[in-house]
């Protein structure tokens, strides 16, 4: 694996040998070195964006989490999109159920695309989703559970009034999708936003309804931005200013900021602002892509994410979709494409200027063999192996003493693109340490990687405070994915890696310092991770595509 700090730190996962075995069988090829062990993946085939919501109302089994996601039941490529459905009691172990919504009507025959769940009066859930017709024109539709007494909510029925929202009055029919969870104002009126682009400008169209069925478009969008294109999967929710707890979308609380997230240009960007339901005014602190300040959930591979409020644990949780970096023919051979990042809890940082993201605490139940040490100096140019754990399935937390910040050269974040900075190879750039530390992943696998992969190098700034005397990095490694959380979750980078070997015995974890100055590791804790338990109650489908 490869995560490097601007001071020159890196983990590296190396090995050599096994390739994916080809199979003509309908089931997955037996040799699956890149399949993850504790991330959420469908049993096979294509997945993309998430449409998640837990059902915690008293009418349902308490604590059952439901996950809906975009899924092709027939192949490992995009197409025939339906809403697959899985359930969990802890967001770690999962049971796959039959898909909840399938294309069937003229307004969704080309796919049941992204949408969101909302709890209506009395706690019954309802889903708004985007359907695509034969010309890929987009409509918003409603489905409700067939039997609200069924705790697994296995069956869903489409409203006879569908489609509820159609692309009229200047809306581009091909850019009208992904309704959010709706929220209710003090006037008891529901609001929902939908991603769109009008005259080349990305925006969140706002609709209002008293009964969740008849919707009226607001004259003004909730927000729009000239520096962006089409907004996919918008999300809009409150975060608490003075508490670590999450806040429900319809809650009326004084001390909150509102987050607006939009997916564009392959990343999930967000802004912070103040929202007043009265005229649905959203006053932003900074706008998308303003002054070089580009806030993102993750600076690596992470897209079409969604949050939900988990009432049982009073927290807000983020799901994000992570694509493959290999080719479509690799995906067809593997029999699958796409997975979910580990769910992350979301809070406003203590400065109030950004969000902090952290893997849900439930994940820690998978930790097993543990190694740790404190206070180790790593000289410039040195390397050592962290042994005693399984490097292919690991959770690694390391914290570094920060050298004297006054001696460091400072970087102006408005004039430097961290991704570009991290792509440069010169040691002079590498040893730069500003009031910001950058980190980099992926490029250091190259020697041990297969050819023909997307090898983008990612970078991000971690904003440090003068009080900070340490900087931390946590990395979740799971065969072909590495999720890294820098500065206690202030900057995250997710990367896909396909080392030639990613099995337990042959993978190794190294730490090395490629800089010239020595660096002190104040502490390191690393664990092997157990496999999550994932079962399927789905019927086997005859696939129209055979794997070659
Ligand atoms: C969609 O499903 C049909 C069968 O219903 C199949 O013929 C077609 O190949 C599928 N397309 C994709 C991209 O999976
Ligand atoms: C609804 O679900 C409940 C609980 O599973 C079940 O007892 C009941 O028979 C179901 N009702 C119908 C009409 O299927
Ligand atoms: C999209 O992202 C790439 C890579 O980060 C960047 O170079 C490009 O300027 C971005 N485009 C827009 C329109 O923001
Ligand atoms: C950093 O050091 C490691 C171990 O010595 C080496 O394998 C790697 O290639 C170096 N990376 C760079 C960018 O110099």
């Amino acid at each position: 694996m490869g995560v490097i700090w601007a001071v020159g730190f890196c983990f590296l996962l190396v090995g050599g040998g096994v390739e994916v075995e080809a199979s003509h069988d309908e089931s997955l090829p037996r040799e699956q070195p890149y399949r993850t062990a504790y991330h959420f993946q469908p049993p096979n085939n294509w997945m993309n964006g998430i449409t998640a919501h837990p059902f915690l109302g008293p009418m349902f089994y308490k604590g059952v989490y439901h996950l809906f996601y975009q899924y092709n039941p027939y192949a490992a490529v995009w197409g025939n999109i339906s809403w697959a459905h899985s359930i969990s009691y802890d967001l770690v172990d999962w049971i796959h159920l039959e898909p909840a919504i399938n294309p069937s009507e003229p307004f969704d025959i080309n796919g049941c695309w992204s949408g969101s769940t909302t709890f209506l009066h009395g706690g019954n859930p309802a889903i708004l989703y985007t359907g695509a017709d034969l010309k890929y024109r987009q409509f918003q539709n409603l489905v409700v559970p067939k039997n609200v007494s069924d705790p697994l909510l296995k069956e869903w029925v489409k409203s006879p009034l569908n489609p509820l929202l159609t692309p009229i009055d200047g809306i581009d029919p091909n850019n009208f999708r992904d309704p959010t969870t709706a929220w209710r104002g003090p006037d008891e009126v529901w609001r929902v936003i939908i991603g769109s682009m009008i005259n080349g400008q990305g925006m969140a169209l706002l609709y209002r309804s008293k009964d969740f069925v008849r919707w009226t478009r607001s004259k003004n969008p909730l927000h729009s931005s000239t520096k962006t294109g089409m907004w996919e999967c918008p999300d809009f929710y409150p975060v608490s200013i003075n508490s670590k707890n999450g806040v429900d979308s319809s809650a009326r609380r004084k001390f909150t900021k509102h987050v607006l997230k939009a997916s564009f240009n392959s990343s999930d960007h967000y802004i912070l602002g103040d929202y007043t339901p009265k005229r649905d005014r959203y006053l932003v602190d900074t706008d998308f892509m303003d002054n070089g300040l580009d806030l993102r959930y993750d600076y690596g591979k992470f897209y079409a994410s969604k949050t939900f409020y988990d009432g049982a644990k009073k927290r807000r949780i983020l799901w994000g979709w992570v694509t493959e970096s290999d080719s479509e023919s690799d995906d067809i051979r593997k029999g699958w494409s796409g997975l979910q990042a580990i769910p992350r809890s979301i809070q406003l940082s203590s400065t109030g200027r950004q969000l902090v993201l952290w893997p849900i605490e439930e994940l820690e139940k998978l930790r097993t063999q543990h190694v740790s040490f404190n206070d180790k100096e790593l000289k410039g140019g040195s390397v050592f192996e962290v042994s005693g754990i399984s490097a292919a399935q690991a959770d690694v937390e390391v914290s570094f003493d920060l050298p004297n910040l006054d001696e460091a050269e400072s970087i102006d974040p408005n004039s430097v693109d961290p991704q570009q900075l991290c792509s440069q190879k010169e040691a002079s750039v590498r040893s730069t340490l500003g009031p910001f530390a950058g980190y980099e992943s992926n490029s250091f696998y190259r020697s041990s990687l297969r050819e023909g992969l997307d090898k983008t190098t990612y970078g991000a700034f971690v904003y440090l405070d003068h009080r900070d005397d340490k900087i931390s990095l946590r990395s979740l490694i799971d065969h072909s994915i590495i999720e890294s959380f820098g500065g206690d979750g202030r900057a995250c980078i997710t990367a896909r890696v396909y080392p030639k070997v990613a099995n337990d015995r042959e993978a190794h974890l190294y730490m090395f310092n490629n800089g010239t100055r020595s660096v002190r590791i104040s502490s390191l804790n690393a664990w092997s991770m157990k496999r999550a338990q994932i079962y399927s109650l789905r019927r086997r489908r005859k696939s129209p595509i055979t794997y070659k």
Side-chain angles (χ1 to χ4, degrees):
M1 64 157 291
V3 174
I4 191 168
W5 292 86
V7 285
F9 262 107
C10 220
F11 300 107
L12 181 69
L13 182 69
V14 291
V18 183
E19 283 285 299
V20 182
E21 203 175 275
S23 168
H24 294 278
D25 192 57
E26 192 196 311
S27 61
L28 291 177
R30 229 184 312 154
E31 194 68 50
Q32 283 278 348
Y34 306 131
R35 214 169 149 82
T36 60
Y38 63 90
H39 279 73
F40 181 89
Q41 280 193 265
N44 59 4
N45 293 342
W46 171 272
M47 93 175 303
N48 58 298
I50 213 74
T51 39
H53 218 88
F55 294 120
L56 298 167
M59 293 191 65
F60 306 101
Y61 280 159
K62 222 171 171 338
V64 179
Y65 294 97
H66 290 243
L67 174 62
F68 300 102
Y69 57 91
Q70 302 275 283
Y71 180 63
N72 182 350
Y74 301 105
V77 298
W78 186 84
N80 290 316
I81 294 297
S82 65
W83 277 48
H85 183 191
S86 302
I87 54 160
S88 174
Y89 293 95
D90 58 8
L91 296 166
V92 174
D93 297 331
W94 290 93
I95 298 171
H96 299 306
L97 305 177
E98 286 293 322
I101 314 175
N102 293 300
S104 65
E105 306 298 321
F107 53 78
D108 69 8
I109 195 68
N110 241 335
C112 298
W113 294 351
S114 200
S116 301
T117 311
T118 302
F119 287 103
L120 304 182
H121 305 270
N124 289 353
I127 290 173
L128 287 175
Y129 74 96
T130 301
D133 75 2
L134 284 173
K135 292 182 172 161
Y136 287 105
R137 287 182 302 207
Q138 294 149 29
F139 304 87
Q140 318 313 322
N141 308 302
L142 174 68
V143 293
V144 294
K146 188 170 183 184
N147 178 2
V148 289
S149 309
D150 168 18
L152 299 187
L153 296 166
K154 289 190 293 283
E155 289 183 86
W156 292 76
V157 285
K158 294 177 187 175
S159 165
L161 300 170
N162 284 339
L164 300 190
L165 305 185
T166 53
I168 51 170
D169 296 334
I171 297 173
D172 175 357
N174 293 313
N175 283 315
F176 181 53
R177 55 184 177 268
D178 310 339
T180 55
T181 292
W183 69 97
R184 215 149 41 109
D187 53 7
E188 305 285 299
V189 172
W190 289 105
R191 279 103 164 139
V192 73
I193 56 172
I194 293 161
S196 189
M197 176 173 72
I198 295 179
N199 297 328
Q201 190 169 330
M203 64 181 67
L205 299 175
L206 175 68
Y207 287 80
R208 298 190 187 89
S209 174
K210 288 206 170 89
D211 59 4
F212 217 79
V213 173
R214 281 161 302 182
W215 293 86
T216 315
R217 182 173 157 200
S218 157
K219 204 157 56 101
N220 299 313
L222 179 77
H223 191 65
S224 65
S225 169
T226 48
K227 293 183 185 165
T228 63
M230 173 64 191
W231 290 5
E232 297 195 283
C233 297
D235 200 2
F236 188 62
Y237 56 89
V239 284
S240 183
I241 290 172
N242 57 359
S243 150
K244 297 219 172 298
N245 288 344
V247 185
D248 179 69
S249 298
S250 292
R252 276 154 233 156
R253 295 267 177 76
K254 264 199 179 139
F255 300 102
T256 57
K257 283 251 163 221
H258 265 75
V259 179
L260 176 62
K261 184 277 288 187
S263 303
F264 55 85
N265 199 16
S266 306
S267 286
D268 280 10
H269 305 255
Y270 70 87
I271 53 178
L272 296 165
D274 295 305
Y275 168 68
T276 29
K278 194 149 183 205
R279 282 197 202 84
D280 290 301
R281 299 227 315 167
Y282 184 53
L283 293 175
V284 302
D285 296 353
T286 53
D287 210 342
F288 287 109
M289 318 303 287
D290 244 6
N291 301 322
L293 184 71
D294 176 17
L295 295 170
R296 300 189 208 172
Y297 285 158
D298 192 296
Y299 293 82
K301 246 182 208 307
F302 190 93
Y303 195 71
S305 65
K306 275 275 163 75
T307 64
F308 68 88
Y309 175 66
D310 174 2
K313 292 202 164 184
K314 294 196 170 37
R315 58 185 173 173
R316 185 164 285 274
I317 292 177
L318 172 71
W319 279 108
W321 169 47
V322 183
T323 58
E324 302 301 309
S325 294
D326 55 4
S327 65
E328 191 172 288
S329 57
D330 282 330
D331 293 343
I332 290 168
R333 198 160 48 221
K334 297 198 306 260
W336 53 273
S337 176
L339 47 91
Q340 289 300 317
I342 295 298
R344 301 172 181 181
S345 67
I346 286 199
Q347 290 168 359
L348 191 64
S349 75
S350 52
T351 63
R353 285 199 293 261
Q354 68 162 112
L355 298 172
V356 290
L357 279 58
W358 199 246
I360 50 159
E361 60 189 11
E362 286 89 337
L363 187 69
E364 291 164 26
K365 78 168 193 176
L366 297 180
R367 287 173 171 176
T368 157
Q369 291 100 330
H370 178 211
V371 295
S372 81
F373 55 79
N374 294 317
D375 240 352
K376 182 177 176 71
E377 186 176 342
L378 202 52
K379 291 214 165 62
S382 68
V383 55
F384 76 92
E385 182 173 358
V386 180
S387 51
I389 61 155
S390 148
Q393 262 169 249
D395 182 350
V396 183
E397 288 186 336
V398 59
S399 122
F400 305 97
D401 285 340
L402 277 181
N404 194 344
L405 283 184
D406 299 335
E407 283 172 25
E409 187 190 321
S410 86
I411 305 173
D412 175 5
N414 294 335
S415 63
V416 179
D417 175 353
Q419 180 159 349
Q420 257 170 24
L421 181 71
C422 291
S423 306
Q424 290 164 8
K425 291 284 161 276
E426 298 82 38
S428 60
V429 175
R430 203 162 286 292
S431 61
T432 306
L433 178 88
F436 319 95
Y439 64 98
E440 178 181 339
S441 63
N442 232 1
S443 61
F444 299 96
Y445 298 90
R446 282 181 186 167
S447 57
S448 59
L449 279 183
R450 294 177 12 242
E451 292 304 305
L453 308 171
D454 165 10
K455 290 168 184 161
T456 312
T457 298
Y458 301 107
F461 289 120
V462 180
Y463 292 87
L464 297 178
D465 196 285
H466 276 287
R467 284 164 301 186
D468 288 325
D469 59 350
K470 292 196 180 12
I471 186 159
S472 68
L473 176 69
R474 179 174 177 192
S475 291
L476 301 173
I477 308 167
D478 191 4
H479 298 266
S480 62
I481 183 171
I482 300 163
E483 293 182 62
S484 293
F485 301 82
D488 301 313
R490 279 172 280 180
C492 309
I493 294 184
T494 296
R496 298 304 304 273
V497 290
Y498 306 90
K500 283 193 187 140
V501 159
N503 68 32
D504 293 349
R505 264 172 291 118
E506 284 159 278
H508 298 271
L509 183 66
Y510 295 99
M511 296 204 63
F512 54 86
N513 178 358
N514 293 64
T516 46
R517 275 186 283 178
S518 66
V519 182
R520 185 161 284 279
I521 298 173
S522 48
S523 67
L524 180 141
N525 283 284
W527 293 264
S528 298
M529 294 293 275
K530 285 182 283 201
R531 205 162 253 292
Q533 305 294 309
I534 301 181
Y535 301 103
S536 188
L537 296 179
R538 255 176 226 169
R539 288 189 304 270
R540 289 284 285 274
R541 244 166 247 270
K542 187 87 198 109
S543 168
I545 289 179
T546 48
Y547 303 117
K548 295 191 193 74

